[in-house]
Amino acid sequence: MKRFPVIGVLCVGAILGLSACSDDSSPEEEATKAAADLCTDLAALKADNAKLKALDPANATKDQVKDAYEAVQKDWEGVKENANQLKDAEREAVKSAAEDLKKSYQSLPGDTTGKDARTQLQPQIENLDQAATAAATGLRC
């Protein structure tokens, strides 16, 4: 149970931080938002499942069980939807970062030295590394 409050706080913090973002978000920002949404939905699913579990079989009415069950099912739908969005966003982030690296490499002048090329490509290399790491982490690779 100690993880639940920590996860909830992290999710709320991520959501608040993302709410300040503009509508013109990068693929990396979309993946981050999808992860935060999924985290929020998982927290809601755990909370509603805990409510269902906490119902006393000796005193719970059929309506109470039904309401708690329906809340869990609604949360599950959100989890499924956001899990798919997360996968799509992570895939798009890796694709975008790889394409940016390719474009940057192809735009290097023919007489660029290896040192200069490596220096100029550093931001794209870092972006691709971050996107691939995030996708691998999401897949538990």
Side-chain angles (χ1 to χ4, degrees):
M1 281 307 277
K2 290 181 181 179
R3 283 186 179 175
F4 184 69
V6 173
I7 291 171
V9 169
L10 291 174
C11 290
V12 170
I15 291 168
L16 292 175
L18 290 172
S19 65
C21 296
S22 68
D23 288 342
D24 295 331
S25 56
S26 70
E28 292 83 8
E29 291 169 335
E30 289 296 323
T32 301
K33 182 184 180 311
D37 290 347
L38 179 57
C39 185
T40 300
D41 286 341
L42 285 169
L45 178 65
K46 287 183 68 146
D48 285 335
N49 193 54
K51 290 177 187 174
L52 179 59
K53 184 178 177 181
L55 290 175
D56 183 357
N59 299 325
T61 67
K62 186 173 181 179
D63 285 339
Q64 287 174 319
V65 173
K66 178 183 177 222
D67 291 346
Y69 165 79
E70 287 175 350
V72 167
Q73 292 305 306
K74 180 181 175 219
D75 295 338
W76 170 238
E77 291 301 317
V79 167
K80 287 191 305 187
E81 180 181 327
N82 282 313
N84 288 334
Q85 289 177 1
L86 176 60
K87 289 176 189 173
D88 292 344
E90 287 174 339
R91 183 177 50 249
E92 185 58 34
V94 173
K95 177 183 172 187
S96 175
E99 288 174 355
D100 287 348
L101 177 59
K102 179 181 177 181
K103 289 176 190 174
S104 295
Y105 176 81
Q106 290 174 340
S107 69
L108 291 172
D111 61 349
T112 304
T113 66
K115 178 182 175 183
D116 289 343
R118 176 64 176 82
T119 300
Q120 291 177 20
L121 296 175
Q122 181 62 29
Q124 292 80 16
I125 293 167
E126 286 296 321
N127 286 342
L128 180 56
D129 183 55
Q130 291 171 0
T133 298
T137 299
L139 297 171
R140 298 186 188 263
C141 297

